[in-house]
């Protein structure tokens, strides 16, 4: 699979670092990379979706319990003994590893994302269940108030996930909402929503915005864009270069990944999504997220 990854996005030295980390991972349902689009010599990070179903998730919980990551041990215990703290049919659990750290496999962030929710559970029930299963304690009054404020300021958003950025100072929690368009983010971004429209307007089939529930722990807001049409990826590549958010050779590499699923040895490699991050003063950056997995259902070893 490594041979399918464009060196413009993943230089050989960075790929070796990814391969070293992957050797310490369990088998998983889906894996991928996080690639910066400007600047040379930037880290390439790794993310995995360990499993979707109950028994593979239990095994992933056992693996997680054996790692030296104390903040993730409540979740490991929950997965091992009670099952996932989210609606199983729709929740996808992801671990993201920042590979610029010195450790062979550093403390990851943990996210649960949703395409939809059902089964009679409202957003608050799901958020409370997720919080307690991930943190090992109930949602506190300050966190509850902060979540309510984020939901109030984005009334068109629907629950899309909850994440915990454990490697960062204070381990900030991040609420994720799917939104119909960039304008609906004006309550979170103010006029900065125009930058989101300039990049993704008319191209993205799905937008998911994420913000820390306590802005003092992380001030930037990120917007994931999912594009499903080849012509949309082509136009996005043009906009990224024009706006100074992507180097030209990396834009070409993005297009190769987006347009060719590249099956190889029973596996595939493609481009999952791109993410724009906006700081409080309007500084923007974009990352790309290549993904790879098995052509037929079942676990596989990343890379």
């Amino acid at each position: 699979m490594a041979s399918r990854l464009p060196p413009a996005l993943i230089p050989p030295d960075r790929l070796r670092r990814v391969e070293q980390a992957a050797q310490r991972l369990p088998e998983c349902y889906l894996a991928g990379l996080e690639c910066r689009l400007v600047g040379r010599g930037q880290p390439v990070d790794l993310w995995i979706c360990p499993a979707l179903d109950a028994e593979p998730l239990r095994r992933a919980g056992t693996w997680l319990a054996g790692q030296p990551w104390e903040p993730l041990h409540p979740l490991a215990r929950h997965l091992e003994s009670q099952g996932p703290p989210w609606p199983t049919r729709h929740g996808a659990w992801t671990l993201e590893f920042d590979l610029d750290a010195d450790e062979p496999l550093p403390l990851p962030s943990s996210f649960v994302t949703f395409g939809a929710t059902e089964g009679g559970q409202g957003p608050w029930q799901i958020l409370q269940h997720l919080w307690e299963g991930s943190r090992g304690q109930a949602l506190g009054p300050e966190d509850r108030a902060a979540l309510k404020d984020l939901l109030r300021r984005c009334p068109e958003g629907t629950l899309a996930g909850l994440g915990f950025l454990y490697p960062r100072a204070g381990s900030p929690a991040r609420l994720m909402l799917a939104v119909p368009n960039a304008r609906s983010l004006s309550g979170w971004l103010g006029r900065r929503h125009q930058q989101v429209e300039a990049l993704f307007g008319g191209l993205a089939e799905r937008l998911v915005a994420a913000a820390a529930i306590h802005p003092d722990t992380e001030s930037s807001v990120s917007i994931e864009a999912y594009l499903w049409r080849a012509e949309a990826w082509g136009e996005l590549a043009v906009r990224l270069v024009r706006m100074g958010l992507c180097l030209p050779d990396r834009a070409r590499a993005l297009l190769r990944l987006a347009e060719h699923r590249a099956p190889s040895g029973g596996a595939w490699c493609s481009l999952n999504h791109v993410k724009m991050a906006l700081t409080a003063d309007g500084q923007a950056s974009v990352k790309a997220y290549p993904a790879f997995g098995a052509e037929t259902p079942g676990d596989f070893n990343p890379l």
Side-chain angles (χ1 to χ4, degrees):
M1 185 54 59
S3 63
R4 298 288 184 173
L5 299 171
L9 282 177
I10 307 98
D13 61 325
R14 297 298 178 180
L15 181 57
R16 285 192 293 273
R17 178 70 179 91
V18 171
E19 291 173 329
Q20 290 167 0
Q23 292 172 5
R24 298 174 177 268
L25 296 173
E27 291 186 339
C28 56
Y29 175 79
L30 190 70
L33 304 174
E34 180 184 87
C35 304
R36 280 76 171 170
L37 298 183
V38 295
R40 302 295 182 183
Q42 296 291 310
V44 173
D45 297 328
L46 176 65
W47 58 269
I48 62 170
C49 176
L52 294 180
D53 300 321
E55 180 56 27
L57 281 168
R58 187 193 64 76
R59 295 197 301 269
T62 299
W63 170 81
L64 189 62
Q67 304 304 313
W69 304 322
E70 186 63 31
L72 284 157
H73 286 173
L75 176 58
R77 290 191 294 269
H78 198 105
L79 290 171
E80 280 192 296
S81 62
Q82 302 178 46
W86 59 85
T88 309
R89 289 183 57 196
H90 297 294
W93 170 45
T94 302
L95 295 175
E96 295 189 1
F97 300 88
D98 297 333
L99 296 186
D100 55 345
D102 291 333
E103 300 96 323
L105 196 63
L107 173 69
S109 297
S110 177
F111 293 88
V112 174
T113 55
F114 299 99
T117 58
E118 63 178 34
Q121 292 195 74
W124 272 110
Q125 290 175 293
I126 296 170
L127 285 170
Q128 290 178 91
H129 196 186
L130 270 172
W131 191 283
E132 188 166 350
S134 297
R135 294 288 213 200
Q137 58 188 19
L139 186 63
E142 290 185 2
D143 299 320
R144 180 187 294 269
L147 281 168
K148 284 186 175 179
D149 181 60
L150 281 177
L151 291 168
R152 178 187 60 79
R153 289 191 286 116
C154 189
E156 294 181 86
T158 57
L159 182 62
L162 184 68
F164 299 97
L165 283 66
Y166 292 115
R168 302 189 188 180
S171 298
R174 182 187 276 177
L175 176 68
M176 304 173 71
L177 298 180
V179 295
N181 51 53
R183 189 179 299 107
S184 61
L185 288 170
S186 59
W188 281 12
L189 294 173
R191 296 185 64 181
R192 288 177 295 162
H193 81 272
Q194 296 172 0
Q195 293 171 262
V196 181
E197 176 65 23
L199 184 59
F200 298 130
L203 304 180
E205 303 289 343
R206 177 174 168 84
L207 291 176
V208 175
I213 68 167
H214 298 295
D216 58 324
T217 61
E218 187 194 47
S219 60
S220 65
V221 174
S222 65
I223 302 93
E224 296 178 356
Y226 296 83
L227 286 67
W228 299 327
R229 296 174 289 118
E231 60 271 23
W233 282 112
E235 174 60 23
L236 178 66
V238 171
R239 294 183 190 182
L240 284 168
V241 174
R242 185 176 66 231
M243 295 171 68
L245 297 171
C246 183
L247 298 174
D249 60 337
R250 293 182 184 171
R252 292 189 292 271
L254 289 182
L255 282 181
R256 286 197 297 274
L257 280 174
E259 294 171 356
H260 305 287
R261 208 158 187 253
S264 174
W268 56 265
C269 180
S270 189
L271 187 57
N272 195 59
H273 66 282
V274 295
K275 183 172 76 175
M276 182 185 203
L278 283 170
T279 63
D281 61 0
Q283 295 295 311
S285 61
V286 178
K287 297 176 183 177
Y289 290 76
F292 31 93
E295 281 291 299
T296 56
D299 293 340
F300 82 109
N301 216 339
L303 292 180

